[in-house]
Amino acid sequence: MELKHFIDTQDFSKEELLDLISLTRMIKEADKQGCTPRLLQDASLAMIFEEPSTRTRVSFEVAMSELGGHALYLKPGEIHLGARESLGDTAQVLSRMTDVIMARTLKHETMLGLAKYATVPVINGLTDYNHPTQVVCDVLTMLEHKEAGKPLEQLKVTFVGDATNVCSSLMHICTRLGMSFTHAAPKKYQAPEAWQKIARENNAVSGGSLRVTDDPVEAVKDADFIYTDLWWWVGQEAEIPERSKAFMPAYQVNMDLLKKAPSHAKVMHCLPASRNVEATDEVLDSPRSVIFDQAENRLHTEKGLLVWLVYPRLKRPSGSLKAYHSGRIQDFLETRWVK
Ligand code: CP
């Protein structure tokens, strides 16, 4: 069985990504009727976190449990990752004991190292470069909240704010799927050329489009979805004054900016949010905001992804084979140990 990791949506075709989303929608529908199939019965997920998380941790852990499996939370400092043990050794040991590894790592190279040595699927739960599970969830949310009848390929997504790891992933999945993607940010904080090159290559195949601008009003004018993210992250505290000055007020997603967008445009945020910084309470809590549907969709997406990657790899022995082994072991116990 071919080993598939989920490190970057660029590793998958449009058809594969849409298949994953279709599977996720089927599992979500089953879940809403209280019928989540226990497709990963007895399977184990190792979850490595080098950074804190609410949505990623909870969604993967609950997903695994509802699918009949089990998740282990391995938090910073609790395993020997790359410190007292090489990355390769950790990846190989976890591969012998679990069926899938999900990791949130500070450096993208760490994720690639895990994937290089692991012999079970590795899922990227965020690195300094990208956040692929988040953006699969985002596309699912867009499909659920788009104008009725509008094809996916006609959707226009505008990301307002810093060129974060979510921005890179969203740019790449949107262009891979043939959608239009705009990044609006002050020049210093715009998506780097290397990301834009990948998006342009996607567009050449998919028919999507890319626009990078420092004009947020122009950027939201035709948007179906306006997406924003934090303006600074852990480790960037010293840059807060400079970043605030660069982004505020023009790039804040507030009612003034929302009024410049079409009336059907929805607001998205991967969360956590700095309320009243990159987006106002008024917008985040308005009927135009889909942020909590988006957050819930992390759970459904993790289920789809786990089933997609792990279910085909699980052994499903026949009842007679299970009975043979159970009987053999019980006979041994009864003859040797049970008096
Ligand atoms: N969006 C997201 O990944 O949230 P967490 O950092 O809480 O996991």
Side-chain angles (χ1 to χ4, degrees):
M1 158 90 25
E2 186 204 355
L3 176 61
K4 264 198 280 192
H5 300 301
F6 196 77
I7 306 297
D8 191 330
T9 54
Q10 286 298 114
D11 299 333
F12 299 92
S13 66
K14 174 178 179 177
E15 289 68 31
E16 286 171 318
L17 292 169
L18 292 178
D19 268 359
L20 169 60
I21 292 170
S22 296
L23 173 64
T24 299
R25 294 183 95 166
M26 288 166 72
I27 295 173
K28 179 172 179 178
E29 205 176 311
D31 179 66
K32 291 293 174 191
Q33 294 177 18
C35 310
T36 304
R38 297 177 74 81
L39 294 167
L40 301 186
Q41 189 77 45
D42 301 329
S44 293
L45 163 70
M47 305 193 299
I48 299 170
F49 281 92
E50 291 191 317
E51 278 200 319
S53 162
T54 300
R55 281 143 290 272
T56 306
R57 181 198 167 171
V58 175
S59 59
F60 271 100
E61 188 160 340
V62 173
M64 207 57 194
S65 160
E66 291 186 4
L67 290 165
H70 169 73
L72 300 99
Y73 176 51
L74 307 169
K75 64 182 174 187
E78 284 202 348
I79 58 168
H80 305 295
L81 189 71
R84 288 175 295 276
E85 180 170 73
S86 75
L87 199 57
D89 286 357
T90 301
Q92 289 182 75
V93 169
L94 291 179
S95 299
R96 296 290 183 105
M97 296 184 182
T98 68
D99 301 286
V100 52
I101 299 168
M102 189 280 296
R104 170 168 289 192
T105 60
L106 296 168
K107 296 277 167 221
H108 196 69
E109 294 73 45
T110 310
M111 188 68 61
L112 298 177
L114 280 171
K116 179 175 173 193
Y117 293 104
T119 55
V120 296
V122 172
I123 299 173
N124 176 354
L126 182 139
T127 70
D128 58 345
Y129 171 56
N130 66 353
H131 199 357
T133 62
Q134 175 68 54
V135 297
V136 173
C137 154
D138 296 338
V139 173
L140 167 65
T141 310
M142 290 174 198
L143 288 170
E144 291 174 343
H145 286 279
K146 69 182 175 62
E147 282 186 299
K150 195 166 201 174
L152 174 77
E153 292 79 2
Q154 284 179 20
L155 294 181
K156 295 183 165 61
V157 178
T158 293
F159 187 99
V160 182
D162 190 22
T164 61
N165 38 18
V166 171
C167 176
S168 85
S169 296
L170 198 62
M171 173 186 285
H172 294 156
I173 197 168
C174 287
T175 52
R176 195 107 180 133
L177 295 177
M179 300 156 73
S180 298
F181 184 86
T182 298
H183 183 206
K187 287 206 163 45
K188 183 173 175 185
Y189 299 98
Q190 288 176 354
E193 172 52 27
W195 300 4
Q196 294 189 42
K197 181 169 179 283
I198 294 170
R200 285 195 299 271
E201 285 165 4
N202 283 344
N203 291 336
V205 177
S206 70
S209 72
L210 173 70
R211 178 173 49 154
V212 179
T213 173
D214 59 2
D215 184 343
V217 172
E218 183 63 25
V220 301
K221 224 167 58 182
D222 57 357
D224 294 290
F225 294 94
I226 300 168
Y227 200 121
T228 189
D229 191 5
L230 296 168
W231 288 346
W232 50 82
W233 189 243
V234 180
Q236 294 175 326
E237 291 81 359
E239 298 174 35
I240 291 175
E242 188 190 343
R243 284 172 171 264
S244 294
K245 200 169 153 211
F247 287 107
M248 193 71 98
Y251 298 90
Q252 185 186 57
V253 180
N254 52 33
M255 279 300 175
D256 284 344
L257 187 63
L258 199 51
K259 280 184 194 141
K260 307 289 192 315
S263 59
H264 69 266
K266 301 286 194 312
V267 173
M268 301 181 74
H269 193 308
C270 53
L271 303 179
S274 283
R275 282 175 168 263
N276 299 311
V277 179
E278 70 271 10
T280 59
D281 280 346
E282 199 181 6
V283 164
L284 291 173
D285 297 327
S286 77
R288 306 277 293 275
S289 162
V290 297
I291 60 171
F292 295 113
D293 287 350
Q294 189 184 353
E296 180 193 321
N297 275 340
R298 287 298 302 276
L299 172 61
H300 305 297
T301 304
E302 316 317 13
K303 283 183 189 164
L305 187 57
L306 286 163
V307 168
W308 196 51
L309 293 176
V310 180
Y311 178 81
R313 302 174 55 83
L314 293 181
K315 290 189 184 74
R316 282 180 288 281
S318 65
S320 58
L321 185 59
K322 283 195 228 173
Y324 163 75
H325 283 292
S326 176
R328 189 168 166 247
I329 293 164
Q330 284 175 43
D331 286 350
F332 177 84
L333 288 169
E334 279 165 23
T335 54
R336 302 291 177 93
W337 301 105
V338 181
K339 298 290 174 207

